[in-house]
Amino acid sequence: MILCVNPWIDDFTAYDLWAKPLGLIEIASWLKQNGFDVAVADLLYQHYPELSQKASVKMTGRGNYLRREIPRPELLKHVSIPRKFYRYGMSKEDASALLSRYPRPRLILLTSMMTYWYSGLRATVDFLKKTYPEVPVIGGGIYTRLCRNHALRVFDDIEIAPQETYSFLRERVRESTGHAPLIPSGPFSISPDYTYYPSLPYIPLRFTRGCPYRCRYCAGPLLEPRYIESRLEKIKLEFEYGYKKGIKDFVFYDDALLFSKERLLHPFLKWIEQQGMKARFHTPNGLHVALFDEKTLALMRAAGEWEFRFGVETLIKNQRQPLDVKTDWHDLQQLAALLLKEEFNLEHVRIYLLAGLPGQPRMEVEESIKMVKGLGLRPIPNEYSPIPGTPLFNNAVKSSVYDLQEPLFQNKSIVPCSWEEQTWRDVQELKELARS
Ligand code: SF4
């Protein structure tokens, strides 16, 4: 048996915005489709029958993780923010009960996400090593790709997967089991299998990988350098699979969903309407304001209910231009006018902004918040997280009081690039302002 594990998260705060480890699920599905016995242990999942605690999760599937307070890692102890530190996910005891369901694995595959969550990954590796001392563990995922050298150093008791994951895993699986899976024929050739979850209130959908834009703060282009589109028939099958099971919530994991709208999203929505199906759709990664239009909105509404999130980041011109070219104030005004004209409920619209950018003063975020609110829309300021390898990272390093080469200091909750004109406290007040 091959065990795939989604690790614990260590952080000041974490919220489950329909986050499932899609890469890990694809790998598990690939192995299963190649005839291997596979299990997925998602330590963040809130609905295993073994769990001794319950987390509050909304009907649509987003909600809280289970958590318990833990001491801060040594390096974060001197960071003076009045926040407790938590380990998110099930307890060790519940994790042991979950693993006891499965036979002893021959190989363990472990994913990772945010760079600054690596202490949760370390705790997961320690737990797995104690439970299965002789079983080889391979780590992959976002943190290991963005901070490879750090991961090689901190996780020298496991193997870290290289960029070419599938050919590498093929060899390791062959060594552990005596059989080698076939390499997937393309980036969308695997159908994700969600039966690893006892009950899932939603299904992730992905029409595209990568993003044609190159925003200076974003890790997307590093993780998915090419923009690639899936096939309409494949997406229809994945939607139909969930819909027939009675699932009504579908979550787009795309970074650039609207970029392919004429080829994929529009025909998909027309098909849903023709079939007489209705669903609820969510866009946690944010949509492109400039690519949203009347036709898209009409097709979307005919297919069901939508909760829109749009990535805007800042509306102040001198902040915008060096950051990205994806949208501007004019696009946002047009979006608001369209939504109002079509009487779309603005309660279901969120506008993502960035706070705490290198050298950004509080006034600029405040101004953007007011501009968004002035249009009747709800701003969500998110703290900037410096990501190694992105063009903005060097600016962040220069403007931070922390050593940003250390991933723990890349944590957005500490506002790594705070300065006298935008302190940690300012960012909390900006969030209040956005909510009020
Ligand atoms: S548009 Fe979004 S996903 Fe694409 S590079 Fe910019 S921030 Fe990243």
Side-chain angles (χ1 to χ4, degrees):
M1 198 268 292
I2 298 171
L3 178 66
C4 300
V5 180
N6 192 29
W8 287 307
I9 292 172
D10 286 2
D11 204 339
F12 296 96
T13 177
Y15 183 76
D16 182 4
L17 205 56
W18 301 284
K20 283 287 162 285
L22 208 47
L24 187 77
I25 293 168
E26 280 180 359
I27 286 172
S29 309
W30 164 60
L31 293 169
K32 189 169 166 186
Q33 284 153 22
N34 273 271
F36 291 89
D37 184 15
V38 186
V40 172
D42 185 341
L43 303 188
L44 302 178
Y45 180 62
Q46 303 95 330
H47 308 291
Y48 286 117
E50 286 84 358
L51 298 185
S52 52
Q53 286 173 283
K54 292 274 167 277
S56 113
V57 176
K58 297 196 187 304
M59 182 185 69
T60 62
R62 69 183 166 92
N64 295 322
Y65 292 116
L66 293 166
R67 69 174 189 183
R68 61 215 163 278
E69 193 180 339
I70 58 167
R72 288 184 189 187
E74 208 47 46
L75 285 169
L76 292 180
K77 284 198 172 139
H78 72 278
V79 175
S80 60
I81 62 168
R83 289 283 182 271
K84 293 177 176 171
F85 201 73
Y86 298 94
R87 176 151 301 149
Y88 290 87
M90 65 185 72
S91 67
K92 229 184 236 184
E93 294 70 30
D94 286 349
S96 295
L98 175 67
L99 294 188
S100 68
R101 278 194 202 175
Y102 310 122
R104 183 183 174 76
R106 290 177 177 222
L107 179 66
I108 298 174
L109 308 179
L110 185 61
T111 191
S112 63
M113 288 178 61
M114 299 300 182
T115 57
Y116 47 85
W117 288 348
Y118 78 86
S119 63
L121 185 69
R122 183 65 260 171
T124 308
V125 171
D126 293 343
F127 168 71
L128 292 169
K129 285 277 172 195
K130 202 168 168 195
T131 313
Y132 305 115
E134 305 302 329
V135 178
V137 179
I138 297 174
I142 293 175
Y143 154 70
T144 66
R145 291 179 65 190
L146 293 175
C147 300
R148 183 168 175 79
N149 288 338
H150 186 273
L152 288 169
R153 205 170 61 247
V154 174
F155 295 90
D156 59 356
D157 50 346
I158 67 171
E159 203 168 7
I160 300 297
Q163 185 100 354
E164 288 305 320
T165 311
Y166 281 96
S167 44
F168 167 80
L169 287 182
R170 180 180 194 271
E171 279 316 297
R172 292 297 176 269
V173 169
R174 189 181 55 73
E175 284 160 20
S176 297
T177 66
H179 302 282
L182 295 173
I183 299 287
S185 57
F188 289 103
S189 60
I190 305 162
S191 288
D193 182 339
Y194 297 106
T195 55
Y196 297 114
Y197 291 93
S199 70
L200 199 58
Y202 61 88
I203 292 281
L205 295 176
R206 183 152 63 178
F207 284 45
T208 58
R209 282 173 183 261
C211 174
Y213 296 91
R214 290 285 180 271
C215 304
R216 288 170 54 79
Y217 44 80
C218 179
L222 298 171
L223 298 166
E224 294 275 5
R226 286 185 309 145
Y227 169 73
I228 317 163
E229 296 175 2
S230 182
R231 287 174 299 106
L232 184 59
E233 288 312 310
K234 179 174 186 289
I235 302 157
K236 285 181 184 174
L237 282 175
E238 288 172 17
F239 177 87
E240 220 168 16
Y241 162 83
Y243 196 84
K244 284 187 175 157
K245 285 178 155 246
I247 294 173
K248 288 290 176 284
D249 288 273
F250 293 84
V251 182
F252 291 102
Y253 276 39
D254 301 67
D255 284 333
L257 177 67
L258 298 184
F259 201 78
S260 62
K261 63 183 185 223
E262 304 289 350
R263 290 179 296 279
L264 292 172
L265 183 65
H266 288 184
F268 171 71
L269 296 172
K270 277 182 198 155
W271 169 76
I272 292 183
E273 191 194 357
Q274 282 158 6
Q275 301 294 313
M277 300 187 281
K278 286 269 183 206
R280 284 187 294 263
F281 299 94
H282 311 276
T283 58
N285 285 359
L287 297 170
H288 287 97
V289 178
L291 301 177
F292 195 84
D293 56 22
E294 195 164 349
K295 182 178 174 190
T296 305
L297 179 60
L299 289 168
M300 286 172 152
R301 293 178 96 178
E305 294 170 31
W306 287 76
E307 207 177 84
F308 292 134
R309 288 159 192 265
F310 290 95
V312 168
E313 326 313 351
T314 176
L315 287 165
I316 308 304
K317 215 169 173 190
N318 67 350
Q319 271 281 331
R320 270 223 71 74
Q321 280 165 344
L323 279 181
D324 65 51
V325 293
K326 65 185 181 186
T327 191
D328 59 19
W329 171 232
H330 175 69
D331 293 334
L332 192 65
Q333 285 175 303
Q334 284 201 323
L335 171 76
L338 171 62
L339 295 172
L340 278 174
K341 178 167 85 78
E342 298 300 326
E343 298 179 356
F344 189 84
N345 184 350
L346 299 187
E347 280 296 309
H348 296 152
V349 184
R350 305 278 185 278
I351 305 296
Y352 289 145
L353 298 174
L354 273 175
L357 285 160
Q360 181 189 44
R362 170 191 171 128
M363 283 309 294
E364 296 208 355
V365 186
E366 200 167 323
E367 191 60 27
S368 293
I369 290 173
K370 287 179 182 161
M371 289 165 85
V372 172
K373 286 176 120 180
L375 294 174
L377 302 172
R378 185 184 294 190
I380 306 281
N382 286 312
E383 301 96 332
Y384 163 69
S385 165
I387 300 170
T390 55
L392 205 60
F393 187 68
N394 286 344
N395 300 43
V397 168
K398 282 184 207 143
S399 62
S400 179
V401 295
Y402 303 107
D403 170 13
L404 294 188
Q405 304 299 341
E406 162 53 51
L408 287 175
F409 294 132
Q410 293 158 15
N411 190 327
K412 65 192 182 85
S413 292
I414 67 171
V415 190
C417 297
S418 57
W419 59 311
E420 65 267 23
E421 290 199 40
Q422 190 172 189
T423 62
W424 182 87
R425 178 65 56 198
D426 285 324
V427 173
Q428 312 317 307
E429 287 171 10
L430 288 166
K431 287 170 144 186
E432 272 304 311
L433 175 70
R435 271 195 292 268
S436 65

